[in-house]
């Protein structure tokens, strides 16, 4: 049935919260009863909305730990939880700590090839979207596009956005080493001498010297 509204007065009110994953950006939160203080908090919390279809609050994953702490410390309310599994909870914590690097996309505009075209202009719209999404996740992203749609291009663009944090290590099947070597020069404006390809253990000394 529908949750009953309970005024907060007298002894603490016990509320049970059930948390689940609603999407890659939001978790769902269901409460066993309606408490005015909690309702006001949820309504005013940035990015949170109520989904009528599921009778659940949708909370941004990034800010869920903050919201939960506030709910746990709400006067007159005793919260208990059916939370996410530990591994999912740890992922949420890591996500909440990850900074948004969207401002780094400016480097895609300023990376220009010999013909005067910027990296942004050379990419397809969905590739730009992939790079922006990756930056919003702090550079930690899995690009799952189909073969031939330019995942390497997006990877090179993301690497360019983090050029100030180089050197970078690229692990790839041996058959793609040369492809990445050329792609980094084409898309990231990396100099030929800046890209070190490892063919066997004898190349490691050369790589170490280049990284110094």
């Amino acid at each position: 049935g529908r949750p009953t509204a309970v005024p907060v007065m007298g002894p603490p009110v016990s509320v049970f919260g059930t948390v689940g994953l609603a999407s890659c950006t939001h978790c769902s939160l269901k409460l066993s009863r309606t408490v005015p203080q909690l309702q006001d908090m949820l309504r005013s919390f940035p990015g949170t909305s109520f989904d009528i279809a599921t009778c659940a609050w949708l909370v941004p994953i990034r800010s869920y730990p903050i919201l939960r702490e506030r709910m746990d410390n709400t006067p007159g309310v005793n919260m208990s939880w059916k939370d996410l599994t530990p591994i999912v909870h740890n992922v949420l914590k890591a996500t909440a700590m990850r900074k948004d690097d969207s401002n780094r996309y400016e480097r895609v505009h300023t990376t220009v090839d010999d013909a005067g075209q910027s990296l942004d202009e050379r990419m397809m719209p969905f590739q730009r979207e992939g790079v922006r999404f990756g930056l919003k996740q702090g550079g930690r992203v899995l690009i799952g596009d189909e073969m031939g749609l330019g995942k390497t291009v997006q990877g090179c663009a993301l690497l360019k956005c983090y050029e100030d944090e180089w050197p970078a290590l690229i692990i790839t099947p041996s058959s793609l080493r040369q492809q990445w070597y050329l792609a980094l020069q084409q898309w990231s404006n990396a100099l030929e001498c800046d890209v070190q390809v490892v063919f066997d253990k004898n190349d490691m000394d050369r790589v170490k010297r280049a990284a110094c």
Side-chain angles (χ1 to χ4, degrees):
R2 298 181 63 181
T4 55
V6 179
V8 180
M9 58 178 64
V13 176
S14 296
V15 180
F16 187 76
T18 303
V19 183
L21 277 180
S23 69
C24 63
T25 58
H26 286 73
C27 57
S28 63
L29 170 60
K30 292 186 177 182
L31 301 177
S32 60
R33 53 176 55 180
T34 301
V35 177
Q37 283 178 275
L38 295 180
Q39 295 297 105
D40 291 342
M41 181 186 300
L42 287 163
R43 288 192 191 97
S44 62
F45 196 79
T48 299
S49 61
F50 187 76
D51 182 21
I52 299 176
T54 60
C55 293
W57 290 93
L58 302 180
V59 182
I61 288 176
R62 287 178 179 273
S63 49
Y64 162 70
I66 299 172
L67 175 64
R68 171 163 175 169
E69 182 179 0
R70 292 183 184 178
M71 294 178 71
D72 284 339
N73 293 320
T74 301
V77 178
N78 183 19
M79 291 293 308
S80 57
W81 300 87
K82 180 182 179 182
D83 212 337
L84 301 165
T85 58
I87 187 170
V88 176
H89 193 64
N90 289 338
V91 170
L92 288 177
K93 280 186 175 180
T95 301
M97 296 171 61
R98 192 178 302 161
K99 65 177 182 177
D100 185 345
D101 287 332
S102 296
N103 61 320
R104 287 178 177 262
Y105 192 84
E106 181 61 29
R107 303 183 188 192
V108 176
H109 289 290
T110 57
T111 302
V112 180
D113 65 5
D114 294 337
Q117 276 194 314
S118 70
L119 179 51
D120 176 79
E121 291 171 323
R122 288 186 286 156
M123 286 194 295
M124 301 292 288
F126 72 89
Q127 293 172 331
R128 297 187 199 109
E129 183 181 350
V131 174
R132 287 193 175 97
F133 179 82
L135 291 173
K136 197 169 184 63
Q137 309 307 313
R140 300 175 63 89
V141 63
L142 172 64
I143 302 173
D145 293 339
E146 294 288 344
M147 185 181 297
L149 292 182
K151 296 185 293 294
T152 302
V153 173
Q154 295 173 65
C156 288
L158 282 166
L159 279 171
K160 188 65 178 180
C161 291
Y162 290 94
E163 187 175 14
D164 58 307
E165 297 185 15
W166 288 8
L169 174 65
I170 299 172
I171 301 175
T172 180
S174 58
S175 60
L176 297 178
R177 284 179 294 195
Q178 193 67 18
Q179 178 180 327
W180 270 95
Y181 174 73
L182 297 173
L184 286 165
Q185 297 174 55
Q186 178 183 355
W187 295 98
S188 299
N189 285 9
L191 298 176
E192 186 175 344
C193 60
D194 288 338
V195 184
Q196 306 295 323
V197 183
V198 177
F199 292 98
D200 55 47
K201 63 181 181 180
N202 296 324
D203 292 322
M204 290 309 300
D205 287 339
R206 172 171 51 81
V207 172
K208 290 176 182 177
R209 288 195 302 270
C212 294

